Amino acid sequence: MVGFLLDCRQSGSSLNDSHVKAAPSEAPRTLADRLFETLRAEIVEGRIAAGSKISEPELARRFEASRGSLREALMRLEALGLLERRINVGARVVELTERGLLELYDVREALEGMACRLAAGARTAEDLAELRRMLEHHEQQEELRAGRAYFQPEGDFDFHFRIVQASGNDLLIDTLCNRLYYRVRMYRYQLGMASPRAQRAFREHSHIIEAIEAGDGDLAELLMRRHIRASRQNIENKLR
Amino acid sequence: MVGFLLDCRQSGSSLNDSHVKAAPSEAPRTLADRLFETLRAEIVEGRIAAGSKISEPELARRFEASRGSLREALMRLEALGLLERRINVGARVVELTERGLLELYDVREALEGMACRLAAGARTAEDLAELRRMLEHHEQQEELRAGRAYFQPEGDFDFHFRIVQASGNDLLIDTLCNRLYYRVRMYRYQLGMASPRAQRAFREHSHIIEAIEAGDGDLAELLMRRHIRASRQNIENKLR
DNA sequence: CATACCCACATTGTTGACAATTTTGCCTAT
DNA sequence: ATAGGCAAAATTGTCAACAATGTGGGTATG
């Protein structure tokens, strides 16, 4: 447990190192930053249980940090929506509820639909090449796993992540990639939603990228919204 | 300047006291809370200039608070998107750019459109009555000011605020009301965008509410998106 | 004269201690 | 036996001092 800080080498604000083109200069990071990222991962992956209470003195001892630095990390987790703090009472990890999950889908439908529309309007050669390469990569993985009943969640995540990046709208990118997607991953990890929509999802991804390539914003948005709504419907059925 | 703390009586998370039905129990608030709300108002209204650097020692002296409490307020402002902090360098108020304003419109179009759709599906009698009352109130004000070239921005704000509340989606409500709307108000205050679309905006508001009353989510979303897009177009034309 | 280096200053990050509030457990009275 | 209240313990909010980092100016050198 001691020396855990040396292991935290994720890039600051991006969701997944595999998405970063290249790390040119290791940006200096603060202790509160590392605490934040470590705790974020533990909450997302369920090592710190949803709904559990956070004890500042306990965590400070565990990480051998002062309470001040830890509090900064907690406040940033609150801003992410992973913690809820009440004055003079303390912080709790958010609960995972069916309602919360469905709310997340509705917000994603709206925002990622818009991201598709914008990506279709502002697409660059690099973005398109990147999307194509990613899709082929997923197709290969898909063939390898043909017949299996689950769909690699990371592939789906890559797809949505890249589309949003291609929108070119920094506010939209920040809202989705630095805020909502951590909650999405938290639900995926802990409710373990392996989607049996593998081939279908892949075809949908493919059609969305085609619409973006064609510069058809209306169609791109429509297809993405249907894609997300189908996912939501799938989950909704499973929960009943 | 001394004793300013006693004057901060806004309710914690809501945007505007007039939106709160009744304040049943004055929730206890912390010093960092009051600093946060005070600074938030000063940034939104431009008393602290956009793009200016924030000096922790200076502000701490000015408010007669410790740097620790002030830093907590600054971090919350960063989470709101009103400040940008760089490690070991400090915080700056965000710049107001044309691009940022247009990005805000696109995100609002997506989210408020969804809010309308949801409001049409989950509408309650209270929500509808509230919306109707607000609309009549605005109509009266509108007649009083007939002929004037500007539209009271607060009326427009009330409208969007109430619609979002009626959506019933807590994540959507939080994202818009506790995050994006402060940036919207910042642009309105400082770029002073008095819209000459008074009567037109009022009619659009009216039609949106009718669609929600009818439970027509598709139409409600469509109308809201056109409403916001028209606003965006109006601004875009004015900027050129 | 321009550039590069170095040092003093100011600002930010971090820590441990103090104050205020909440929670908990025990004791008492009905 | 249970409800109420009081006191002790634990937790959170706040503060001031210390350490680490970035900034700017001055000087020496090409």
Side-chain angles (χ1 to χ4, degrees):
Chain A
M1 188 173 305
V2 176
F4 81 102
L5 298 177
L6 303 176
D7 301 324
C8 309
R9 288 274 169 250
Q10 313 172 22
S11 79
S13 61
S14 92
L15 200 62
N16 192 327
D17 275 341
S18 71
H19 299 296
V20 180
K21 321 249 181 188
S25 66
E26 192 104 353
R29 293 183 335 179
T30 184
L31 171 59
D33 271 324
R34 295 190 293 264
L35 288 170
F36 167 64
E37 291 168 15
T38 302
L39 286 171
R40 185 182 61 191
E42 295 211 1
I43 291 174
V44 164
E45 295 167 17
R47 281 182 46 84
I48 298 179
S52 62
K53 182 161 185 341
I54 296 290
S55 165
E56 290 182 5
E58 179 193 326
L59 278 185
R61 279 194 304 274
R62 178 179 155 202
F63 291 132
E64 295 175 350
S66 88
R67 252 185 69 225
S69 298
L70 185 92
R71 275 169 67 85
E72 175 168 341
L74 294 185
M75 284 187 300
R76 292 173 64 177
L77 289 169
E78 182 189 20
L80 258 190
L82 297 182
L83 288 186
E84 288 172 350
R85 288 177 57 198
R86 286 197 320 185
I87 295 176
N88 278 321
V89 171
R92 305 192 78 87
V93 181
V94 294
E95 299 271 6
L96 297 181
T97 68
E98 179 179 342
R99 176 179 171 181
L101 179 57
L102 296 179
E103 286 186 356
L104 201 42
Y105 271 108
D106 285 339
V107 173
R108 285 184 60 198
E109 179 185 330
L111 288 179
E112 296 193 24
M114 176 59 77
C116 271
R117 169 182 295 277
L118 296 176
R123 66 199 190 286
T124 69
E126 295 97 312
D127 286 335
L128 291 177
E130 191 82 32
L131 286 170
R132 268 290 164 209
R133 236 181 317 133
M134 179 193 61
L135 199 64
E136 287 172 12
H137 176 65
H138 290 169
E139 189 172 24
Q140 290 174 0
Q141 288 204 335
E142 188 54 34
E143 289 171 353
L144 288 176
R145 317 187 178 200
R148 294 206 201 176
Y150 72 94
F151 180 55
Q152 71 287 4
E154 291 310 320
D156 186 58
F157 222 90
D158 276 351
F159 172 76
H160 290 270
F161 197 91
R162 284 256 173 255
I163 294 272
V164 172
Q165 297 283 350
S167 76
N169 183 320
D170 288 338
L171 176 60
L172 187 59
I173 294 170
D174 178 68
T175 302
L176 279 169
C177 299
N178 296 137
R179 254 182 93 76
L180 299 182
Y181 280 171
Y182 289 104
R183 224 180 293 196
V184 171
R185 297 208 330 178
M186 187 172 170
Y187 275 102
R188 284 212 179 149
Y189 264 96
Q190 303 197 29
L191 270 62
M193 25 201 47
S195 158
R197 311 194 314 116
Q199 316 84 334
R200 179 176 163 189
F202 177 79
R203 279 202 309 276
E204 290 175 1
H205 288 186
S206 184
H207 289 153
I208 289 170
I209 290 181
E210 284 169 17
I212 291 175
E213 280 177 332
D216 189 339
D218 286 338
L219 181 60
E221 173 168 14
L222 177 77
L223 291 177
M224 177 60 98
R225 290 187 66 159
R226 280 169 58 170
H227 174 61
I228 293 176
R229 208 178 295 191
S231 245
R232 182 197 145 123
Q233 193 65 45
N234 184 45
I235 295 296
E236 213 170 355
N237 291 338
K238 210 175 255 174
L239 287 172
R240 306 207 175 282
Chain B
M1 189 173 302
V2 176
F4 82 102
L5 300 175
L6 303 175
D7 300 324
C8 310
R9 287 276 169 246
Q10 314 172 21
S11 79
S13 61
S14 92
L15 201 60
N16 192 325
D17 275 341
S18 70
H19 299 294
V20 178
K21 323 253 181 186
S25 65
E26 193 107 350
R29 294 183 335 181
T30 183
L31 171 59
D33 270 324
R34 295 189 293 263
L35 288 171
F36 167 64
E37 292 167 14
T38 302
L39 286 171
R40 186 181 61 192
E42 295 212 359
I43 290 174
V44 165
E45 295 167 17
R47 282 183 45 84
I48 298 180
S52 62
K53 181 159 186 344
I54 296 290
S55 165
E56 290 182 6
E58 178 193 326
L59 278 184
R61 281 195 303 274
R62 177 178 157 202
F63 291 131
E64 295 175 350
S66 87
R67 255 186 66 225
S69 298
L70 186 93
R71 273 169 69 86
E72 175 167 343
L74 293 186
M75 285 187 299
R76 292 173 65 177
L77 289 169
E78 182 189 20
L80 259 191
L82 297 183
L83 287 186
E84 288 173 350
R85 288 177 59 197
R86 287 197 320 184
I87 294 175
N88 278 321
V89 171
R92 306 191 77 87
V93 181
V94 294
E95 299 271 5
L96 297 182
T97 67
E98 178 180 343
R99 176 178 171 181
L101 178 57
L102 295 178
E103 285 186 357
L104 200 43
Y105 271 108
D106 285 337
V107 172
R108 285 184 59 198
E109 179 186 329
L111 289 179
E112 295 193 26
M114 176 60 76
C116 270
R117 170 181 295 278
L118 296 176
R123 65 199 192 283
T124 70
E126 295 96 314
D127 286 335
L128 291 177
E130 191 81 33
L131 286 171
R132 270 288 165 210
R133 235 181 318 132
M134 179 192 60
L135 199 65
E136 287 172 11
H137 177 64
H138 290 171
E139 188 171 24
Q140 290 173 1
Q141 288 204 335
E142 188 54 32
E143 289 171 354
L144 287 177
R145 316 188 180 201
R148 294 206 202 177
Y150 72 94
F151 181 53
Q152 72 288 2
E154 291 310 320
D156 186 60
F157 221 90
D158 276 352
F159 172 77
H160 290 269
F161 197 91
R162 284 254 172 256
I163 294 271
V164 172
Q165 297 283 349
S167 76
N169 183 321
D170 288 337
L171 176 59
L172 187 59
I173 294 170
D174 178 68
T175 301
L176 279 169
C177 299
N178 295 137
R179 253 182 93 75
L180 299 183
Y181 279 171
Y182 290 104
R183 224 179 294 197
V184 172
R185 297 207 333 177
M186 188 172 169
Y187 275 101
R188 285 212 179 151
Y189 264 97
Q190 303 198 29
L191 270 62
M193 27 201 45
S195 160
R197 311 194 315 115
Q199 317 84 333
R200 180 176 163 189
F202 177 79
R203 279 202 309 275
E204 289 174 1
H205 288 185
S206 183
H207 290 152
I208 289 170
I209 290 180
E210 283 170 16
I212 291 176
E213 280 177 334
D216 189 340
D218 287 337
L219 181 60
E221 174 168 11
L222 177 76
L223 292 177
M224 177 59 98
R225 291 187 65 160
R226 281 169 58 171
H227 174 61
I228 293 176
R229 207 177 297 191
S231 246
R232 183 197 144 121
Q233 193 64 45
N234 184 44
I235 294 297
E236 214 170 354
N237 291 338
K238 209 176 258 176
L239 287 173
R240 307 208 174 282

